[in-house]
Amino acid sequence: MAGLMAGFGHYTHAIVRGIPASLATEALRTSQAEVDLDKARGEHDAYVQVLRTRLGLEVVELPADEALPDCVFVEDAAVVCGDTALITRPGAESRRGETEAMKEALKDLKMNIVEITDENATLDGGDVLFTGREFFVGLSKRTNQRGAEILADAFKDYAVSTVPVLEGLHLKSFCSMGGPGLIVIGSSDHAQKALKIMQQMSDHRYDKLTVPDDLAANCIYMNLPNKGHVLLHCTTEEFPESVKVFEKLKDHMLIPVSNLEKVKLDGALTCCSVLINKKKPDN
Amino acid sequence: MTTESGSESKQPQENKEAEKSKAAEEQTSPQNQAEKFPAAAGHSTPAKREQEQQGEDQVSHRSSTSRLSKSPLRGVRKVKIMQCKVVLLDGSDYTVDVEKRAKAGVLFNKICDHLNLLEKDYFGITYRDVESQKNWLDPTKELKKQIRTKESNGPWNFAFNVKFYPPDPAQLSEDITRYYLCLQLRDDVVSGRLPCSFATHTVLGSYTVQSELGDYDPEEMGSDYVSELRLAPNQTKELEDKVMELHKSYKGMTPAEAEMHFLENAKKLSMYGVDLHHAKDSEGVEIMLGVCASGLLIYRDKLRINRFAWPKILKISYKRNNFYIKIRPGEFEQFESTIGFKLPNHRAAKRLWKVCVEHHTFFRLVSPEAPQKKFLSLGSKFRYSGRTQAQTRRASSQIIRPAPFFERTSSKRYNMSRSLDGATIAENHDTLMKDSSAKATTIITTVTAEKEEKTEQEDAQKDATEAHEAGATTQEPKRPPHAYTADPLRSELSLPSSPVLSTKVRRRRREGSHKRASSVSPVKGSIGCRRRQAHADRKAALLEEQELLLSARKQRLEQGKRRSGTLFSFSLHLPHLPSILDDDGYITFPDLSEMSFLPECAQNFLPIKSPSLIPCFLFIFFFLLSTSFSVPYALTLSFPLALCLCYLEPKAASLTASIAQGYHDHDSSEEEETDSERTDFAFDGDVTVTESEADEESETQTQDTEPLPEVVKHQTNISELKRSFLETGGSGMPGLTEWEKRLSSSPLRSPRSDEAPMIEPLEPQDTKDGQQSGAERNEEAGPKGTESTPGCVSSSQQVPSGQEKTAVAMETGAVPDKTTGPTPLDSVEAASKDVPVVHTETKTITYEAAEVDTNGDADPGVLLSAQTITSETTSTTTTTHITKTVKGGISETRIEKRIVITGDADIDHDEALAQAIKEAKEQHPDMSVTKVVVHKETEITPEGED
């Protein structure tokens, strides 16, 4: 039976991209931290390894582009849901070129490609939280109303609600999905406020998992065959308190993934991959 | 899309004959519809007559001659048969004859019978108004009044649609219901009202194909069989191919299964069951308001920008073309806020408001709020009158018929095809698509196409409207007399409580209503019994009333058409106050536009039919004479007063509506002379409609009113009671008349007397108010004081509990039926305070839950709301108070139930009590019973037989 909207967290493919040398110096950042390129690359390799070998996803690795220092953060370039892929129009002008390679990769995967042609629209994938039942789009420095409208048009099945992002770069800078109906949320005021808004806007009930650190709230949930609930989250090194919270999730296979360097560039775990489900969900 | 439009107009003529005979058959066959529309109980022939009668004395507007003269048809008083053409969900037309003055429910039931549909509560009839907007027919109101067309021109046109989309279609009992829901959804999808992705279109389409055509058969079906079907707004070859691909994989799936799958997917769509309305926000930004099962959704373009779940909404109202929602304060907010939206016009605002009221009731409440629950209620507010989802689920779980066989028609074809009853299928999607005309450009073409097709008809409609307008205008002069007779009374009633604001005042007003009640009932009573027996103080009360009346009339005369104030304050005296007055103490007004034109008003002003009118009139007349009024003066006064009294029968509800309407008509004549068609709608006062103040409350509260039929019965019984009393006469007791007794023991009174104490511990200041007015009432009611027991309900029952914990305090009193003393409801304190006529033995036992804390007295908290609901069965009277308080950030809902079991000694009170507790627990599973007070009152001196 074909079932729609079934299988939240089912993924078969992941698209990632290499780290260009320009990342260390030219990539956009909100802080002034120094980035160690080698460490960052090492981290990223480990991340890709987890996806590929540990989780068994088919990883499509796009080559780094020196002209696009932020290109490793592929999440912002596309929003994929079901077999539709919306190629975004990133809010930062320097990043608009990133979508090209992404589009090609998604085309190769036979996704239905939707592109944003509206010059007034901006949308970063990092502002898009898909809960399995609906979308929340953060209205941030990088994403505007028009971008959200286009997203709503691209994914007609789902409700698309907007959430103002008052602090932090993206909506997913302080939240993500930790399971079906489970929102992992940072404990900062703005994060909590955003969660309130999401809860109010939604017809569905969500559980929340509050972690002490906003950045730790960004994790990657998957539901994989033979593995069940899988959660990629921050390491004890980075956020010891938050890890303790994650460890309470008994049903999940917990995989700590280091993100010490990329986080300096506001890159969270979800930022570095676009996850795709190519197999028809059975159910 | 535009190509198929031609067929529709021709089609009905062809099958009219066949349908007619069918309809005739149906008319004579007895059908069981009493369940849903008690008023229209069945439309077998005898019932019909009864209905006819009802219509006559209730809401008919035949009295207005000016109106009658407008149409030659109206002059004839015979039962007129009207042909209705209903577009069914499969696109076919169903033509049926109904009496011209039949209620919409009659038509609805005929359609459901035709469709063999039992779970009908999810469905409704729509009609297109002159603006081509879709409106839902109210089954309790006459068809004629709801459609604004000239009925002499051809059949009335309706459509049968899903009104409430069940959030979980799997819970529907019957496949046939799901089938009709599917048909509706297919249309929603094809018309674009239910947007979905390509993938969803293919999935839904494939299930449609499976259910309509069955298993894929390569020989029979070929390769383009899917293109015949309409599956998506923009159907592409690609989509059809995908549909076929999926279809091939469904081998062996039954139609019912396919439909189930269809629904399981459709229900997840974000716009499933969302009724969209165009609006603008306070800043003039174009938005859409979506009404759905869970609440109100606000969209800007395609984005959801806000959502107000029903529990968040305290009140919905509309005024002119504005629509307002009052929002419960959030966690960290102190005050509730009101959000206003601008609708394109007044009718749109009203339509939205009605849809909200209905959805809220259907999905959120356990049973509808009965508008005419209370004796003097200003019950004309529009309410959803059908069953709620909870009720319909319960009812449909009892369906025991074997799954009916039904043929699935092939719907939504590009080509014409035959439908079930042999009629050619008219493509109804065009019609329905009009809904979305404004939102999607792709559909606009269709709209025009449809317009052409309907031009004739619309012209006719326009004519009708004009005629109607003319009719309405000519009626204007007729109005004042009606209003005049009633208005003085109304203004009179308003006097005791001056128009002030704040909740305090509101409570005061409630007390005022007490007062009113206490002075009214004696009059009634004494009419029936011997005048001489009327107590001196009662006379005084009456005198006072007369005085008020006089001054009011004076006022009325002076002020002429002055609106506001006087009229509205009538409601101040009616017990239904909690919902009439909003939190600010303003009176919120019912939906008057539901009432049609003035003639109704006139009809309602004909309590002349009441058997009590003459006695009333005579009594008042002689009474006035006896109090040294001149004969003419007494005559002048007594008639309106008698009329007024006769009003205070269960019909009060419709009365007040029409009063208000008549009143409103004044307004409109001033303000909207050029647009009198609007008058029935353009009610300018606080037309609002309150949902009960707090949602949770209304939820719990309605649970207590479960035995709806009884409640309704009770309403009608009051007048009967009174009548029977009038016939038998009183027993001549000095204290109370029989009517009074009954009235006072009537549950309808209890809420009022209970109100003050409910408030008492929470808001000391208000208590004073309550007591004061209570005292006033005492004065007025004199030594008997039966009605005046405001402080008598033990406030000790206000046991505060922790967060979300709720107290259900119950009081069970057993009182012999024929008590002549103080009303049973008034319990011990009353008995001790007042001078009882009957000696009773009382016994009070209190059971209290251990964890009860008593800090309530120390920290009264802030009263959010208090409500009282009464329901009655033959031997028990249940009064439920619901108070909501906030104490140190913790909100507490307290439900106090007082159950009076009345009857002879042989009733097993213990069992009744146990039953009551059990019921209370069942009704509020999330609450704990913290206190049970059993108060037994046994009559010692047998007295007062009648």
Side-chain angles (χ1 to χ4, degrees):
Chain A
M1 302 305 108
L4 295 164
M5 305 182 200
F8 176 60
H10 289 272
Y11 300 113
T12 55
H13 291 65
I15 299 178
V16 297
R17 199 165 190 181
I19 295 180
S22 54
L23 174 94
T25 49
E26 288 167 47
L28 302 169
R29 66 203 76 190
T30 49
S31 64
Q32 296 300 312
E34 294 255 322
V35 178
D36 184 320
L37 185 65
D38 290 337
K39 272 190 188 170
R41 280 182 169 156
E43 240 173 46
H44 190 60
D45 287 346
Y47 176 92
V48 175
Q49 275 311 304
V50 167
L51 298 179
R52 196 193 314 256
T53 50
R54 183 120 188 235
L55 301 176
L57 299 182
E58 214 164 292
V59 178
V60 177
E61 203 162 357
L62 304 177
D65 186 336
E66 288 302 324
L68 302 167
D70 291 293
C71 68
V72 66
F73 303 122
V74 288
E75 178 188 48
D76 292 324
V79 178
V80 178
C81 179
D83 47 14
T84 300
L86 173 67
I87 308 301
T88 63
R89 189 169 180 275
E93 241 182 299
S94 66
R95 300 192 59 189
R96 304 241 161 101
E98 292 176 27
T99 56
E100 271 312 307
M102 178 58 71
K103 188 168 83 185
E104 292 313 313
L106 289 165
K107 265 186 188 162
D108 290 346
L109 288 169
K110 302 218 164 47
M111 305 298 285
N112 302 318
I113 307 289
V114 181
E115 286 181 89
I116 298 180
T117 50
D118 191 325
E119 297 279 302
N120 298 316
T122 61
L123 178 71
D124 271 20
D127 277 315
V128 180
L129 178 68
F130 178 62
T131 70
R133 295 304 304 271
E134 64 191 310
F135 283 96
F136 291 105
V137 179
L139 297 180
S140 66
K141 297 178 192 80
R142 300 282 176 84
T143 300
N144 63 18
Q145 176 95 12
R146 187 71 195 115
E149 278 167 28
I150 290 168
L151 180 119
D153 213 29
F155 303 103
K156 289 199 183 77
D157 293 350
Y158 300 98
V160 178
S161 308
T162 53
V163 184
V165 175
L166 305 170
E167 275 174 63
L169 182 64
H170 285 138
L171 175 65
K172 278 197 275 187
S173 298
F174 51 78
C175 69
S176 64
M177 294 309 288
L182 176 68
I183 295 177
V184 182
I185 186 84
S187 50
S188 70
D189 280 353
H190 65 271
Q192 292 294 321
K193 215 174 259 175
L195 179 70
K196 282 254 153 56
I197 292 171
M198 290 193 274
Q199 284 172 331
Q200 190 198 319
M201 300 274 250
S202 176
D203 300 322
H204 309 287
R205 287 205 168 270
Y206 294 106
D207 294 324
K208 65 168 178 177
L209 183 73
T210 307
V211 293
D213 310 283
D214 274 7
L215 286 169
N218 184 293
C219 53
I220 300 175
Y221 167 79
M222 290 185 224
N223 186 354
L224 300 176
N226 307 322
K227 294 189 181 63
H229 303 292
V230 177
L231 197 68
L232 276 63
H233 61 83
C234 59
T235 57
T236 319
E237 216 181 324
E238 297 162 84
F239 303 109
E241 292 307 309
S242 295
V243 171
K244 283 181 195 162
V245 177
F246 283 120
E247 280 166 356
K248 287 179 189 158
L249 295 170
K250 295 295 174 207
D251 295 339
H252 288 58
M253 177 200 271
L254 297 173
I255 305 175
V257 179
S258 174
N259 195 37
L260 272 171
E261 290 304 313
K262 284 183 282 188
V263 82
K264 293 175 185 166
L265 302 163
D266 309 295
L269 287 177
T270 58
C271 298
C272 302
S273 60
V274 169
L275 300 173
I276 295 154
N277 183 23
K278 277 303 290 177
K279 216 167 49 189
K280 282 255 180 322
D282 17 43
N283 165 32
Chain B
M1 277 170 147
T2 55
T3 47
E4 326 95 11
S5 50
S7 65
E8 195 179 1
S9 44
K10 285 172 208 157
Q11 184 272 335
Q13 265 72 30
E14 291 162 20
N15 64 329
K16 214 177 265 179
E17 293 307 311
E19 292 291 349
K20 239 180 205 166
S21 57
K22 205 186 235 170
E25 264 169 47
E26 271 180 40
Q27 266 176 31
T28 43
S29 69
Q31 285 158 52
N32 178 23
Q33 304 162 321
E35 233 183 1
K36 190 172 173 195
F37 308 108
H43 49 82
S44 56
T45 338
K48 226 167 206 168
R49 243 176 271 128
E50 177 189 300
Q51 209 178 296
E52 181 78 356
Q53 236 164 23
Q54 250 177 16
E56 226 165 85
D57 55 29
Q58 235 171 19
V59 270
S60 155
H61 38 61
R62 279 194 270 164
S63 66
S64 167
T65 43
S66 63
R67 189 193 164 94
L68 287 170
S69 61
K70 279 287 149 196
S71 153
L73 283 169
R74 287 213 178 101
V76 192
R77 292 234 170 168
K78 263 187 243 155
V79 174
K80 279 260 164 194
I81 300 296
M82 213 41 225
Q83 195 177 54
C84 298
K85 201 181 85 181
V86 184
V87 180
L88 301 178
L89 288 165
D90 63 1
S92 63
D93 280 337
Y94 171 58
T95 310
V96 63
D97 289 344
V98 293
E99 276 176 39
K100 204 159 146 195
R101 290 181 42 253
K103 297 219 165 77
V106 172
L107 175 64
F108 180 74
N109 283 330
K110 282 186 183 204
I111 299 167
C112 290
D113 288 340
H114 171 74
L115 295 172
N116 200 10
L117 179 64
L118 290 186
E119 292 175 282
K120 36 187 157 178
D121 304 286
Y122 299 95
F123 300 82
I125 306 173
T126 57
Y127 75 96
R128 299 266 160 190
D129 61 19
V130 280
E131 294 158 6
S132 182
Q133 292 295 316
K134 197 175 76 181
N135 292 273
W136 293 101
L137 292 187
D138 183 338
T140 62
K141 301 210 162 59
E142 286 179 35
L143 283 168
K144 199 171 95 186
K145 289 183 186 156
Q146 301 188 60
I147 57 165
R148 284 156 208 294
T149 53
K150 190 155 71 184
E151 56 269 33
S152 50
N153 273 15
W156 288 337
N157 289 288
F158 302 105
F160 186 77
N161 290 112
V162 172
K163 188 176 193 180
F164 304 114
Y165 291 72
D168 188 3
Q171 286 201 35
L172 294 174
S173 286
E174 297 200 297
D175 286 341
I176 192 168
T177 317
R178 269 187 288 272
Y179 168 64
Y180 290 123
L181 177 59
C182 272
L183 290 180
Q184 174 72 67
L185 285 164
R186 283 181 204 167
D187 189 76
D188 291 347
V189 168
V190 168
S191 67
R193 279 192 305 270
L194 183 57
C196 39
S197 65
F198 179 84
T200 306
H201 276 306
T202 60
V203 170
L204 295 181
S206 64
Y207 288 124
T208 299
V209 171
Q210 178 72 21
S211 96
E212 284 201 6
L213 306 179
D215 287 353
Y216 173 72
D217 181 345
E219 283 170 25
E220 206 181 286
M221 290 175 174
S223 58
D224 60 349
Y225 65 98
V226 172
S227 357
E228 281 176 26
L229 292 149
R230 301 202 50 151
L231 303 172
N234 305 307
Q235 195 160 325
T236 58
K237 188 82 189 89
E238 191 192 1
L239 186 130
E240 289 169 10
D241 289 346
K242 288 260 182 199
V243 167
M244 273 191 274
E245 198 183 307
L246 287 168
H247 179 210
K248 286 171 190 170
S249 69
Y250 296 154
K251 280 237 158 78
M253 189 188 287
T254 65
E257 279 167 1
E259 280 149 14
M260 196 64 224
H261 287 300
F262 178 98
L263 293 174
E264 284 302 306
N265 284 294
K267 74 169 188 191
K268 291 180 191 159
L269 296 168
S270 81
M271 297 308 282
Y272 171 83
V274 178
D275 187 25
L276 285 177
H277 299 254
H278 285 273
K280 283 181 181 165
D281 69 8
S282 52
E283 282 149 24
V285 178
E286 285 275 0
I287 53 165
M288 296 285 266
L289 299 180
V291 186
C292 66
S294 68
L296 188 63
L297 304 164
I298 320 290
Y299 295 91
R300 184 174 153 193
D301 293 298
K302 280 156 188 165
L303 297 173
R304 189 184 286 183
I305 54 167
N306 217 335
R307 172 180 177 268
F308 301 100
W310 293 128
K312 262 292 240 190
I313 302 176
L314 292 169
K315 196 175 106 181
I316 38 183
S317 55
Y318 72 99
K319 187 174 178 178
R320 294 203 184 89
N321 63 335
N322 294 304
F323 174 77
Y324 301 100
I325 51 176
K326 191 188 257 179
I327 303 300
R328 185 186 298 280
E331 219 176 307
F332 306 110
E333 298 151 33
Q334 264 192 309
F335 304 104
E336 52 210 15
S337 48
T338 298
I339 303 173
F341 302 97
K342 266 219 168 351
L343 276 285
N345 56 49
H346 175 81
R347 298 186 67 155
K350 183 191 154 202
R351 201 162 37 232
L352 170 61
W353 171 84
K354 278 173 87 172
V355 168
C356 280
V357 169
E358 291 177 322
H359 273 72
H360 171 262
T361 309
F362 187 81
F363 289 111
R364 177 94 185 127
L365 301 186
V366 172
S367 61
E369 299 167 272
Q372 67 294 55
K373 202 162 44 199
K374 286 173 186 159
F375 181 41
L376 293 172
S377 162
L378 229 202
S380 66
K381 312 168 176 204
F382 167 79
R383 293 285 168 89
Y384 171 63
S385 53
R387 286 197 285 222
T388 64
Q389 182 175 344
Q391 289 173 326
T392 195
R393 276 187 187 164
R394 219 172 304 139
S396 49
S397 68
Q398 326 248 305
I399 293 175
I400 41 156
R401 68 171 179 184
F405 173 79
F406 58 97
E407 201 178 315
R408 287 167 169 86
T409 59
S410 305
S411 58
K412 309 290 178 306
R413 294 294 170 94
Y414 277 114
N415 315 337
M416 284 305 148
S417 57
R418 309 295 291 177
S419 79
L420 214 143
D421 46 13
T424 45
I425 285 173
E427 293 267 347
N428 73 331
H429 57 266
D430 281 345
T431 326
L432 292 159
M433 226 185 261
K434 273 200 167 175
D435 276 351
S436 40
S437 60
K439 50 187 151 145
T441 37
T442 47
I443 295 160
I444 282 169
T445 45
T446 338
V447 175
T448 14
E450 214 245 349
K451 270 234 165 87
E452 279 164 2
E453 173 193 329
K454 278 203 167 175
T455 318
E456 252 183 84
Q457 200 189 322
E458 263 166 26
D459 285 349
Q461 285 180 347
K462 245 174 240 159
D463 289 349
T465 328
E466 273 154 27
H468 220 95
E469 278 175 28
T473 328
T474 45
Q475 285 155 23
E476 296 272 330
K478 293 217 105 190
R479 257 165 236 164
H482 302 310
Y484 190 78
T485 34
D487 278 358
L489 293 167
R490 272 180 271 124
S491 19
E492 166 258 315
L493 297 173
S494 76
L495 288 180
S497 44
S498 53
V500 218
L501 322 169
S502 94
T503 44
K504 247 185 257 166
V505 172
R506 165 179 166 206
R507 233 152 264 133
R508 213 197 199 125
R509 288 173 176 181
R510 287 184 185 163
E511 295 310 323
S513 76
H514 270 258
K515 203 193 273 178
R516 166 67 188 158
S518 55
S519 52
V520 165
S521 53
V523 177
K524 285 197 151 192
S526 16
I527 295 160
C529 88
R530 283 130 198 104
R531 188 155 51 97
R532 268 177 231 119
Q533 282 154 10
H535 236 257
D537 58 12
R538 201 180 310 140
K539 276 188 196 162
L542 195 75
L543 253 182
E544 192 179 302
E545 195 173 10
Q546 296 286 355
E547 259 168 42
L548 292 171
L549 199 152
L550 276 173
S551 59
R553 171 172 276 195
K554 223 180 279 169
Q555 200 182 2
R556 169 91 205 152
L557 290 170
E558 279 163 13
Q559 291 171 349
K561 283 181 177 176
R562 187 179 157 231
R563 81 200 72 143
S564 79
T566 50
L567 165 64
F568 292 171
S569 35
F570 179 53
S571 61
L572 301 182
H573 300 273
L574 302 174
H576 204 55
L577 287 178
S579 42
I580 291 163
L581 296 179
D582 69 17
D583 297 340
D584 302 321
Y586 287 108
I587 300 154
T588 54
F589 235 69
D591 174 29
L592 300 164
S593 36
E594 259 319 290
M595 321 292 109
S596 295
F597 291 74
L598 185 88
E600 241 181 298
C601 174
Q603 265 300 341
N604 281 318
F605 271 97
L606 293 180
I608 291 161
K609 293 184 180 112
S610 165
S612 13
L613 178 65
I614 307 293
C616 276
F617 172 74
L618 287 177
F619 167 70
I620 297 164
F621 176 62
F622 286 116
F623 178 77
L624 290 177
L625 279 185
S626 72
T627 48
S628 69
F629 276 88
S630 69
V631 175
Y633 207 178
L635 261 176
T636 341
L637 270 178
S638 47
F639 190 67
L641 186 54
L643 273 178
C644 161
L645 286 172
C646 293
Y647 257 116
L648 304 175
E649 290 186 341
K651 265 192 238 154
S654 50
L655 150 78
T656 41
S658 53
I659 287 174
Q661 202 207 330
Y663 181 78
H664 143 68
D665 283 336
H666 285 298
D667 290 359
S668 3
S669 60
E670 284 169 24
E671 296 183 8
E672 292 185 301
E673 268 172 335
T674 49
D675 188 10
S676 47
E677 193 226 344
R678 277 262 145 105
T679 52
D680 10 346
F681 299 95
F683 175 71
D684 289 332
D686 252 1
V687 180
T688 66
V689 169
T690 351
E691 293 225 351
S692 37
E693 307 171 0
D695 212 296
E696 267 96 20
E697 283 171 24
S698 42
E699 184 176 36
T700 32
Q701 137 200 349
T702 42
Q703 285 173 349
D704 302 313
T705 53
E706 240 5 278
L708 264 187
E710 270 100 345
V711 174
V712 176
K713 213 189 291 162
H714 176 76
Q715 302 316 309
T716 42
N717 281 351
I718 285 224
S719 58
E720 265 175 49
L721 247 174
K722 192 178 128 199
R723 243 169 264 160
S724 71
F725 162 66
L726 288 173
E727 283 153 23
T728 53
S731 58
M733 273 169 346
L736 293 170
T737 65
E738 179 62 20
W739 173 238
E740 218 170 338
K741 270 181 276 158
R742 296 203 192 188
L743 196 64
S744 58
S745 62
S746 142
L748 297 168
R749 300 182 59 77
S750 53
R752 280 173 270 125
S753 38
D754 289 341
E755 236 153 57
M758 283 307 287
I759 290 147
E760 191 171 36
L762 303 166
E763 266 183 334
Q765 270 208 307
D766 284 76
T767 312
K768 235 185 261 164
D769 270 3
Q771 282 170 344
Q772 258 178 348
S773 33
E776 280 166 30
R777 274 187 303 127
N778 275 337
E779 280 164 32
E780 201 182 345
K784 290 179 305 305
T786 29
E787 289 91 19
S788 60
T789 48
C792 72
V793 174
S794 54
S795 51
S796 65
Q797 291 185 7
Q798 312 269 331
V799 192
S801 51
Q803 183 167 18
E804 299 303 339
K805 258 190 236 153
T806 320
V808 178
M810 302 204 291
E811 181 159 334
T812 310
V815 186
D817 206 6
K818 311 285 195 230
T819 302
T820 47
T823 131
L825 282 174
D826 289 338
S827 81
V828 220
E829 290 94 332
S832 54
K833 189 160 60 185
D834 304 319
V835 188
V837 182
V838 172
H839 296 283
T840 56
E841 181 191 46
T842 61
K843 210 188 335 177
T844 304
I845 312 156
T846 306
Y847 310 90
E848 223 167 304
E851 81 265 18
V852 164
D853 67 59
T854 44
N855 69 355
D857 299 323
D859 175 16
V862 180
L863 175 71
L864 278 185
S865 53
Q867 278 194 337
T868 307
I869 289 291
T870 310
S871 67
E872 194 195 37
T873 60
T874 43
S875 65
T876 62
T877 301
T878 307
T879 310
T880 308
H881 309 286
I882 300 152
T883 38
K884 243 199 133 107
T885 50
V886 169
K887 218 180 285 178
I890 296 169
S891 87
E892 174 190 296
T893 306
R894 176 190 314 287
I895 300 178
E896 184 181 336
K897 269 188 192 221
R898 136 187 287 261
I899 301 156
V900 177
I901 303 162
T902 318
D904 300 325
D906 55 5
I907 285 183
D908 186 346
H909 292 290
D910 292 333
E911 201 200 307
L913 174 64
Q915 182 62 27
I917 294 173
K918 194 169 146 253
E919 264 167 33
K921 277 182 177 164
E922 275 166 11
Q923 280 167 359
H924 315 283
D926 50 342
M927 299 183 172
S928 52
V929 176
T930 56
K931 190 174 181 178
V932 177
V933 180
V934 180
H935 171 73
K936 219 168 180 175
E937 203 171 324
T938 329
E939 195 180 333
I940 297 174
T941 328
E943 214 179 33
E945 303 81 41
D946 59 344

